């Protein structure tokens, strides 16, 4: 992997990388923040314990820089000794017809799933990219502990965080989300993406729908609790997000859920930055062991 840039940040290092992805078949970019405890140690230093890490999945139209620039997470992550990892939100450079025709499908809108429909199936493989390639890459080459990784995200990335956590509990020890798309099978964003990437047969959609996935559980997959923050001034709440459906599914599975709803907060990064510290603390507690 190629280091594109490196910046000192709260005693740690903020890095941006590019690598040739086998899963995607194209170059992919991602960012990593290493806290001071890990920034100046190699991955194979026997005298140093690798850092726990949080993987953040960003929302529609975002990229690997958005979270690191806007969320204000590095200061507390440095104090807590947490590494931060942020992938891009889709493949780029495939030059497929229609890939840039709308802001909620194609480029910047990978939805963290593996597409099965042409022409998307060849490159739009974000689920396999994250779980099978990116995480093994960063944990094998950087001082990051593969056994202590949490996942969180925003909007489309909140959908990705919830679904990947539920599908890969062996990879992720903790999960949270900001304004996630909780039931994509039942909202316009999800229906558009799933139809395009997975096909019109809705039976295939449930494997990528957090509410449906939680509904398959009879015991809590994350007994330490799931944290979701939602702004009540979010213009997408009523039509696109449906946290009440996920809340009901968690209740049925006896999954502890803290669904916090905040008056006056919208869908953007001012909202995310306002509650970032709570999410980092939530994960730090569950990744401590």
């Amino acid at each position: 992997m190629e280091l594109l840039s490196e910046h000192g940040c709260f005693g740690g290092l903020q890095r941006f990388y590019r690598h040739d992805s086998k899963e995607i078949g194209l170059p992919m970019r991602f960012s990593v923040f290493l806290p001071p405890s890990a920034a100046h140690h190699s991955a194979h230093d026997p005298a140093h314990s690798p850092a726990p890490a949080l993987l953040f999945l960003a929302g529609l139209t975002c990229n690997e820089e958005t979270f690191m620039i806007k969320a204000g997470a590095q200061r507390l992550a440095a104090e807590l000794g947490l590494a931060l990892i942020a992938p891009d939100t889709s493949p780029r450079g495939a030059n497929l017809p229609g890939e840039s025709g709308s802001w909620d499908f194609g480029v910047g809108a990978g939805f963290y799933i593996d597409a099965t429909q042409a022409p998307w199936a060849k490159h739009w493989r974000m689920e396999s990219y994250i779980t099978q390639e990116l995480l093994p890459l960063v944990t094998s080459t950087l001082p990051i502990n593969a056994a202590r990784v949490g996942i969180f995200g925003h909007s489309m990335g909140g959908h990705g965080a919830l679904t990947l956590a539920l599908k890969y509990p062996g990879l992720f020890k903790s999960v949270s989300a900001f304004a996630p798309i909780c039931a994509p099978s039942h909202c316009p964003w999800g229906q558009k993406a799933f139809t395009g990437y997975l096909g019109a047969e809705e039976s295939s959609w449930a494997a990528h729908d957090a509410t449906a996935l939680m509904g398959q559980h009879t015991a809590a997959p994350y007994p330490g609790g799931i944290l979701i923050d939602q702004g009540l001034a979010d213009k997408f709440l009523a039509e696109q997000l449906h946290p009440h459906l996920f809340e009901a599914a968690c209740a049925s599975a006896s999954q502890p859920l803290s669904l916090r709803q905040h008056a006056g907060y919208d869908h953007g990064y001012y909202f995310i930055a306002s509650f970032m510290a709570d999410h980092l603390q939530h994960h730090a507690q569950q990744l401590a062991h």
Side-chain angles (χ1 to χ4, degrees):
M1 60 187 186
E2 177 188 2
L3 179 63
L4 298 175
S5 66
E6 179 178 272
H7 316 273
C9 186
F10 295 108
L13 292 172
Q14 177 64 59
R15 292 175 172 174
F16 295 91
Y17 288 98
R18 177 174 56 208
H19 73 119
D20 291 325
S21 168
K22 294 180 180 179
E23 287 289 346
I24 300 294
L26 294 164
M28 290 291 289
R29 295 182 182 232
F30 63 94
S31 57
V32 175
F33 171 73
L34 293 174
S37 58
H40 306 292
H41 298 268
S42 73
H44 308 292
D45 182 353
H48 179 70
S49 298
L54 298 183
L55 177 70
F56 184 87
L57 305 182
L60 293 164
T61 75
C62 297
N63 61 28
E64 77 286 351
E65 295 182 320
T66 312
F67 170 77
M68 297 300 185
I69 293 172
K70 292 185 173 183
Q74 291 96 332
R75 181 195 293 269
L76 184 55
E79 295 176 9
L80 294 172
L82 294 172
L84 303 171
I85 307 162
D88 203 349
T89 53
S90 79
R92 296 179 193 266
N95 299 317
L96 298 180
E99 70 171 22
S100 299
S102 57
W103 67 277
D104 56 358
F105 184 82
V107 171
F111 272 81
Y112 306 103
I113 64 177
D114 288 353
T116 59
Q117 300 297 299
W120 311 102
K122 181 178 180 180
H123 299 297
W124 261 250
R125 297 178 47 79
M126 291 299 293
E127 177 177 339
S128 290
Y129 169 67
I130 289 167
T131 60
Q132 306 299 320
E133 186 171 14
L134 179 62
L135 280 177
L137 176 65
V138 297
T139 56
S140 64
T141 58
L142 298 173
I144 292 174
N145 189 337
R148 298 169 66 197
V149 177
I151 188 169
F152 66 150
H154 167 233
S155 194
M156 175 186 72
H159 140 77
L162 295 174
T163 56
L164 295 183
L166 292 171
K167 294 179 74 172
Y168 301 94
L171 283 180
F172 304 109
K173 293 190 66 174
S174 57
V175 57
S176 71
F178 298 90
I181 305 172
C182 288
S185 300
H186 301 282
C187 75
W189 279 342
Q191 291 163 352
K192 178 178 181 176
F194 286 0
T195 299
Y197 296 140
L198 303 174
E201 178 50 60
E202 295 185 19
S203 61
S204 66
W205 297 2
H208 308 284
D209 184 305
T211 296
L213 287 167
M214 185 60 75
Q216 298 172 6
H217 288 272
T218 56
Y222 286 89
I226 296 173
L227 172 63
I228 292 177
D229 278 305
Q230 175 63 59
L232 292 176
D234 187 329
K235 65 181 182 180
F236 302 115
L237 175 56
E239 184 179 28
Q240 303 283 11
L241 304 180
H242 302 318
H244 64 287
L245 297 179
F246 187 70
E247 183 179 34
C250 286
S252 295
S254 299
Q255 168 62 55
L257 171 69
S258 177
L259 173 58
R260 309 192 307 182
Q261 302 183 74
H262 307 280
Y265 286 90
D266 61 20
H267 197 68
Y269 269 82
Y270 297 115
F271 156 65
I272 293 172
S274 297
F275 300 101
M276 179 55 61
D278 293 342
H279 285 250
L280 296 183
Q281 295 281 7
H282 165 84
H283 288 278
Q285 291 171 5
Q286 296 189 41
L287 297 176
H289 307 291

